[in-house]
Amino acid sequence: MVRTSPTFRRRRLARRIRYLRERAGLTQEHAACELDMSTSALSRKENGDVITSVHEARSMMDLYDIRDPELLDLARAARERGWWRAYGVEDRGYVDLETEACAVQELSLMYIPGLLQTEEYMRAIFTADSGMRLERNVENDVSVRTIRQRRLTDPEHPLELTALVDQAALERPIGGPRVMRNQLRHLFEVVQLDRVELRILPKATGCHLGMAGAFVVLEFPEPEDNDVLFVSHPVGSVHVEKAGEVQQARVVFERLFAQALPAEQSMRLIERAAAELQ
């Protein structure tokens, strides 16, 4: 199933109504007046900050003298909830972004990246993070992450992953030796996928640019959708879309990738870490 995110549906709707207004040769001030709304209200809709209703979309088509069934479909779709909401999952905005991304570059310092995790490893993480949360909530988190992983093999809605993992993540026995050993062995399977590239940053690298914190850079198939830098922290997350700042993160990632072990040596290091858990 091809899933789309409400954020990106809203953005596409915003781009569409802005395009139709400009095509009609109307300023925001003129169009807003004719639509019985303030200029700031129309601006928020055209920026994707506020959803345009189906009724408003019909009024815009009348004003702009155009029949656009796609606009009505976008207006309806923009009000739909994200697919992960059915699981009661609060994702800090990341699943929303990843759902629409076509490629992900992830630097992970303390954990194996989520797209490469086994279910047991996930449960260990979610249980530790959840405190007093109910067991079913942990299972819902596992279900959502498992669904996300399917895109690595989905021919209709593919996702490419380039992962840089610090050696410290291999040596932290999350879930205990058995769970961690199975997790490391699982990496040997997923790296065989055409859409997965994994490199390990060895301890011998010493101090490196990524030690300030883990991050993810997401790339999208639509040219109009800016790449996004996503940084998670204990009480929330930060989404960065400014091109210069995202590019800086890409430069850091590329430099770290150059410092990381080549694929074959990375696998040998993972194999050694798994053997030490015997």
Side-chain angles (χ1 to χ4, degrees):
M1 181 184 298
V2 176
R3 297 176 169 86
T4 57
S5 79
T7 295
F8 281 81
R9 290 195 297 261
R10 189 166 64 244
R11 288 183 178 184
R12 288 175 185 139
L13 173 60
R15 287 197 297 267
R16 190 66 181 171
I17 63 173
R18 183 172 63 249
Y19 165 75
L20 293 178
R21 175 183 59 76
E22 292 173 347
R23 177 175 153 178
L26 299 179
T27 64
Q28 270 192 346
E29 292 77 8
H30 185 181
C33 181
E34 294 294 329
L35 292 167
D36 290 325
M37 65 177 69
S38 66
T39 303
S40 62
L42 180 57
S43 177
R44 289 195 296 272
K45 293 178 185 298
E46 291 189 354
N47 289 331
D49 299 326
V50 178
I51 298 174
T52 298
S53 69
V54 174
H55 174 73
E56 290 169 333
R58 291 185 188 278
S59 296
M60 289 174 183
M61 287 193 298
D62 290 339
L63 176 61
Y64 304 151
D65 192 25
I66 186 170
R67 176 64 180 168
D68 186 1
E70 181 185 354
L71 180 63
L72 299 180
D73 291 339
L74 284 172
R76 295 185 183 101
R79 306 193 78 84
E80 296 175 2
R81 302 171 72 216
W83 62 267
W84 57 93
R85 297 293 185 186
Y87 295 87
V89 170
E90 297 295 333
D91 71 306
R92 299 182 180 178
Y94 182 76
V95 179
D96 193 354
L97 294 169
E98 189 190 82
T99 295
E100 291 296 322
C102 61
V104 170
Q105 291 180 324
E106 179 169 356
L107 168 66
S108 187
L109 301 176
M110 303 307 295
Y111 298 103
I112 303 301
L115 290 173
L116 305 180
Q117 293 174 2
T118 65
E119 291 189 13
E120 288 181 313
Y121 187 91
M122 293 179 206
R123 287 191 183 91
I125 292 174
F126 289 134
T127 300
D129 288 345
S130 64
M132 299 300 292
R133 291 180 63 196
L134 298 175
E135 182 178 347
R136 68 170 177 272
N137 293 334
V138 171
E139 291 305 310
N140 284 343
D141 284 324
V142 171
S143 295
V144 168
R145 186 162 290 182
T146 302
I147 290 171
R148 287 170 47 209
Q149 292 180 345
R150 295 175 189 168
R151 290 195 56 205
L152 297 176
T153 55
D154 187 345
E156 300 297 329
H157 193 38
L159 179 68
E160 294 184 2
L161 171 66
T162 303
L164 275 175
V165 180
D166 195 281
Q167 185 177 346
L170 307 181
E171 299 174 345
R172 184 177 295 274
I174 291 174
R178 183 187 63 80
V179 171
M180 191 65 198
R181 184 169 59 249
N182 290 339
Q183 170 62 70
L184 295 176
R185 289 173 175 170
H186 177 67
L187 294 179
F188 281 91
E189 299 176 16
V190 291
V191 296
Q192 303 303 316
L193 300 175
D194 292 337
R195 299 182 192 140
V196 175
E197 190 165 12
L198 172 64
R199 297 287 187 275
I200 304 300
L201 280 164
K203 287 187 292 186
T205 303
C207 184
H208 58 72
L209 288 171
M211 292 182 69
F215 64 85
V216 182
V217 176
L218 301 103
E219 179 181 338
F220 304 94
E222 296 291 336
E224 298 87 353
D225 292 327
N226 297 327
D227 294 350
V228 175
L229 167 63
F230 180 89
V231 181
S232 179
H233 53 82
V235 294
S237 62
V238 178
H239 303 193
V240 179
E241 293 189 50
K242 290 183 179 179
E245 296 178 10
V246 176
Q247 181 57 28
Q248 288 179 36
R250 283 195 181 279
V251 170
V252 169
F253 191 90
E254 289 168 2
R255 289 180 179 176
L256 291 173
F257 192 87
Q259 291 180 275
L261 296 175
E264 187 174 339
Q265 292 181 37
S266 291
M267 290 302 102
R268 283 204 294 267
L269 185 57
I270 293 171
E271 185 176 26
R272 187 161 66 247
E276 291 174 355
L277 291 168
Q278 295 288 354

